[in-house]
Amino acid sequence: MAQRMDADVGYDELAVLKLLALDGGLRGEVKVSCSDLAGRLDASNQTASRRLQALEDAGFVERDLVTDGQLVDITDAGERALQHEYEDYRRIFDGPTDVTLHGTVTGGMGEGRHYISLSGYNRQFNEKLGYDPYPGTLNVELTEQSRRERAAMERLDAVPIDAWEDEERTYGSASCYPCTVENTEGDAFAPAHVIVPDRTHHDESKLEIIAPEKLRDELGLVDDDTVAVRVTPRED
Ligand SMILES: Cc1cc2nc3c(=O)[nH]c(=O)nc-3n(C[C@H](O)[C@H](O)[C@H](O)COP(=O)(O)O)c2cc1C
Ligand SMILES: Nc1ccn([C@@H]2O[C@H](COP(=O)(O)OP(=O)(O)O)[C@@H](O)[C@H]2O)c(=O)n1
Ligand SMILES: [Mg+2]
């Protein structure tokens, strides 16, 4: 839990972020005075001010000082931090459920093929996923909403792919989330896995998917086609 937060952002700061969000901070700027915040936190003005500063340093809020206080806006990173908390509570009370992410098929750098074929990974895919993956990753550009919901996927248990090395270099670890891939005609393909490499050129807006078959052929997909990726909780 703590490792996914910035060093200076812990639960005390998250509590402040939550208050800001309750005041409407996800929808626009909210007016904040440190003394009011301090009262609600049952803490000193100094403490309230320090926590706001930590949130700003972590990039979770943006602030504008005005004469009688400050205008505070929660950033996308701040929203993601809250979303992680929300997902934890949802999981506590509801248990794990499917997470469906939406996006469009895109071409990438043609590197997926190389990595999937490497023996150090390939051996693990066969053993741990139970299939020999098609050499490549289907890249999916997520919609804005699905970018936010990605946090829910990452709270599910993943199949861990371990780091390894050959004579020349080391290769990073990765997480595989079991999924079903669906096209807009309602055709579905499984088994498949969303693969999240620890080292990647892609940002949060892209998903990479592996499967035993070429998904473009199985589901008749071309660039810009819409797909739904239903990530299912692990059964074991
Ligand atoms: C299993 C796996 C392991 C990877 N390991 C590394 C790595 O060790 N170092 C690295 O720079 N990128 C690594 N990558 C990420 C690729 O560099 C790249 O971000 C991505 O897979 C490219 O996909 P694309 O060709 O589909 O765009 C890995 C990717 C996969 C799928
Ligand atoms: N299971 C898979 C894996 C990759 N692919 C496709 O196979 C090709 C090779 O994958 P890649 O990851 O090396 O290439 P790019 O994603 O970089 O374009 C790409 O066109 C992928 O979209 C697929 O259709 N089904
Ligand atoms: Mg790819």
Side-chain angles (χ1 to χ4, degrees), residues 111-185:
E111 276 187 19
R113 170 183 295 274
H114 167 70
Y115 281 99
I116 299 303
S117 308
L118 291 171
S119 62
Y121 286 128
N122 205 263
R123 199 173 315 121
Q124 297 189 60
F125 294 144
N126 279 277
E127 267 171 31
K128 298 179 181 177
L129 307 182
Y131 61 80
D132 186 19
Y134 175 84
T137 58
L138 180 78
N139 298 16
V140 175
E141 174 82 27
L142 295 175
T143 62
E144 238 172 74
Q145 174 161 1
S146 288
R147 276 174 222 177
R148 290 195 288 275
E149 288 167 357
R150 189 191 165 107
M153 174 187 84
E154 286 171 2
R155 303 303 295 141
L156 297 175
D157 287 335
V159 181
I161 302 296
D162 300 326
W164 56 285
E165 57 186 20
D166 61 15
E167 302 76 42
E168 275 154 38
R169 55 166 280 193
T170 61
Y171 294 88
S173 56
S175 300
C176 289
Y177 300 88
C179 69
T180 299
V181 184
E182 293 170 18
N183 64 16
T184 47
E185 270 95 67

Side-chain angles (χ1 to χ4, degrees), residues 4-219:
R4 72 173 188 239
M5 291 180 199
D6 188 89
D8 296 323
V9 174
Y11 285 111
D12 288 342
E13 286 72 24
L14 271 186
V16 175
L17 195 62
K18 179 174 148 191
L19 283 181
L20 295 170
L22 284 169
D23 288 348
L26 290 179
R27 290 183 295 276
E29 285 180 328
V30 288
K31 183 96 176 286
V32 176
S33 86
C34 273
S35 57
D36 172 59
L37 194 59
R40 289 161 77 194
L41 291 168
D42 199 16
S44 68
N45 279 13
Q46 236 182 345
T47 298
S49 164
R50 210 177 45 238
R51 290 183 189 162
L52 273 174
Q53 184 65 52
L55 287 170
E56 186 180 33
D57 292 346
F60 286 4
V61 300
E62 281 168 0
R63 298 195 289 168
D64 274 330
L65 292 179
V66 288
T67 41
D68 53 344
Q70 42 191 308
L71 295 174
V72 182
D73 200 359
I74 299 178
T75 63
D76 288 352
E79 180 169 353
R80 276 199 297 279
L82 285 173
Q83 188 91 36
H84 275 294
E85 290 307 300
Y86 173 66
E87 292 308 334
D88 284 347
Y89 282 109
R90 208 192 42 70
R91 204 167 156 201
I92 287 166
F93 292 112
D94 298 348
T97 52
D98 289 1
V99 177
T100 303
L101 301 177
H102 301 268
T104 53
V105 172
T106 59
M109 296 169 289
E111 276 187 19
R113 170 183 295 274
H114 167 70
Y115 281 99
I116 299 303
S117 308
L118 291 171
S119 62
Y121 286 128
N122 205 263
R123 199 173 315 121
Q124 297 189 60
F125 294 144
N126 279 277
E127 267 171 31
K128 298 179 181 177
L129 307 182
Y131 61 80
D132 186 19
Y134 175 84
T137 58
L138 180 78
N139 298 16
V140 175
E141 174 82 27
L142 295 175
T143 62
E144 238 172 74
Q145 174 161 1
S146 288
R147 276 174 222 177
R148 290 195 288 275
E149 288 167 357
R150 189 191 165 107
M153 174 187 84
E154 286 171 2
R155 303 303 295 141
L156 297 175
D157 287 335
V159 181
I161 302 296
D162 300 326
W164 56 285
E165 57 186 20
D166 61 15
E167 302 76 42
E168 275 154 38
R169 55 166 280 193
T170 61
Y171 294 88
S173 56
S175 300
C176 289
Y177 300 88
C179 69
T180 299
V181 184
E182 293 170 18
N183 64 16
T184 47
E185 270 95 67
D187 305 318
F189 188 94
H193 289 80
V194 174
I195 184 161
V196 182
D198 284 357
R199 300 180 200 164
T200 178
H201 303 301
H202 293 313
D203 59 24
E204 300 256 300
S205 71
K206 297 245 175 47
L207 280 189
E208 290 185 83
I209 301 168
I210 59 173
E213 304 294 337
K214 183 169 188 174
L215 291 165
R216 283 180 186 264
D217 291 349
E218 294 295 318
L219 296 172

